[in-house]
Amino acid sequence: MQKQTLVELSKVQWLEIKRVPRTFFLIMIFPLLFLLMFWGIDMLTPAQADGLSFMEYLFPGLIVFALLSSGLLGTAIPLIEQRKSGVLRLLEISPLKKSTYVLSQISVRFLIGVFQMVLFLLLGLLLGIISISQFLPGIAISMLTLAMMVTLGFIFGSILQSAETAGALLGGLSAPVLMLSGVLMPLSIYSSQVMDTIALFFPFTYLGDVKRDLLIVNYSAEYPLWLSLTVIMITIVILFTIAIRVFSWSKTSA
């Protein structure tokens, strides 16, 4: 019974994402436009970052950005809309288990994430940025990335009361956070020891480093692979614990 409910609820979650054009654009179209824009810049400006071409350095970061959009915005905004419309209140008084609802949210986001990953990696192959041997490692680390983003989405979807506020806040913060953690820009451009120290406390710093390590052949990782994966896994566990605690069917926490 719960299995069939999970399938049906997952379909509803997908329709909810498609129903809001802004959300669908942010998680499906905008990251691809970002990729094409920076590929054009790379063609015109062969800049170098840590011995890599501009696009080689940026490509793993753009995958993180795409998964951040689908996991964060694509989770928080529909969650807020469903709570605001009273859908979650109705689900609360139904036999539906909270775990089933959470799994339906996660399953849809993972399907979207897999589609995005495959599309991005295929484009990376076509553009000569990655090789076929990096395809499976890229998918594996991206699954961990998506798990972290979805749990973040649950947290913000639980504490924010307005979809407009969530869209503006999360959309406005995403790029700066990724830049400050070296995901979209190398930390060396800041020429500041303070920025390097601050970056050590961002899990995105290790995420960007391990993605480059697995996707780009000529990249030399800043941190050991075991350290980056440990930080990512611990972050996922912490965020998941927080997400379960702050999630509410009928009202936001703040």
Side-chain angles (χ1 to χ4, degrees):
M1 181 63 181
Q2 288 294 327
K3 182 178 180 181
Q4 182 62 32
T5 302
L6 175 62
V7 173
E8 295 300 324
L9 199 55
S10 297
K11 293 179 182 178
V12 172
Q13 300 297 344
W14 167 243
L15 292 175
E16 181 69 19
I17 292 175
K18 288 179 61 180
R19 186 180 65 83
V20 184
R22 176 189 57 190
T23 304
F24 189 78
F25 173 79
L26 286 173
I27 68 176
M28 297 298 291
I29 308 300
F30 186 60
L32 288 176
L33 293 179
F34 233 57
L35 173 62
L36 294 175
M37 179 182 72
F38 281 110
W39 178 67
I41 294 175
D42 184 50
M43 295 294 290
L44 297 174
T45 309
Q48 297 290 318
D50 296 337
L52 306 175
S53 71
F54 177 76
M55 200 58 200
E56 282 178 327
Y57 185 91
L58 193 61
F59 182 72
L62 289 177
I63 296 180
V64 175
F65 180 77
L67 296 176
L68 181 66
S69 298
S70 60
L72 198 58
L73 294 171
T75 300
I77 293 178
L79 186 61
I80 293 171
E81 293 285 2
Q82 288 181 12
R83 181 180 291 107
K84 187 176 180 179
S85 65
V87 171
L88 295 188
R89 186 182 296 274
L90 293 175
L91 293 176
E92 182 181 18
I93 61 177
S94 73
L96 179 68
K97 295 180 180 179
K98 182 185 289 188
S99 59
T100 302
Y101 175 79
V102 173
L103 284 174
S104 71
Q105 289 272 353
I106 293 175
S107 62
V108 171
R109 272 70 188 178
F110 265 77
L111 287 175
I112 294 174
V114 169
F115 173 79
Q116 286 180 308
M117 282 181 272
V118 171
L119 184 58
F120 262 80
L121 293 174
L122 285 175
L123 286 173
L125 285 172
L126 291 175
L127 297 176
I129 302 171
I130 66 172
S131 64
I132 192 65
S133 62
Q134 276 77 52
F135 206 91
L136 289 180
I139 289 180
I141 189 60
S142 294
M143 296 297 280
L144 289 178
T145 304
L146 190 58
M148 187 163 68
M149 304 312 178
V150 171
T151 50
L152 266 176
F154 263 101
I155 293 172
F156 283 107
S158 296
I159 64 178
L160 297 176
Q161 303 183 36
S162 166
E164 290 73 20
T165 300
L169 178 64
L170 300 180
L173 288 178
S174 296
V177 168
L178 295 182
M179 289 178 182
L180 291 175
S181 58
V183 174
L184 291 179
M185 288 186 178
L187 292 173
S188 58
I189 68 172
Y190 300 114
S191 301
S192 170
Q193 185 63 40
V194 175
M195 294 302 300
D196 291 341
T197 302
I198 292 175
L200 292 176
F201 295 93
F202 280 103
F204 293 106
T205 301
Y206 303 92
L207 186 60
D209 189 57
V210 73
K211 286 189 75 70
R212 288 188 184 89
D213 189 25
L214 294 177
L215 287 175
I216 307 301
V217 175
N218 297 323
Y219 179 73
S220 298
E222 295 287 337
Y223 312 102
L225 180 61
W226 68 266
L227 175 61
S228 296
L229 292 177
T230 299
V231 171
I232 294 169
M233 293 298 295
I234 291 175
T235 301
I236 291 173
V237 172
I238 293 174
L239 291 176
F240 183 79
T241 303
I242 295 173
I244 293 297
R245 289 185 176 275
V246 301
F247 175 73
S248 171
W249 289 108
S250 56
K251 62 180 179 180
T252 54
S253 301

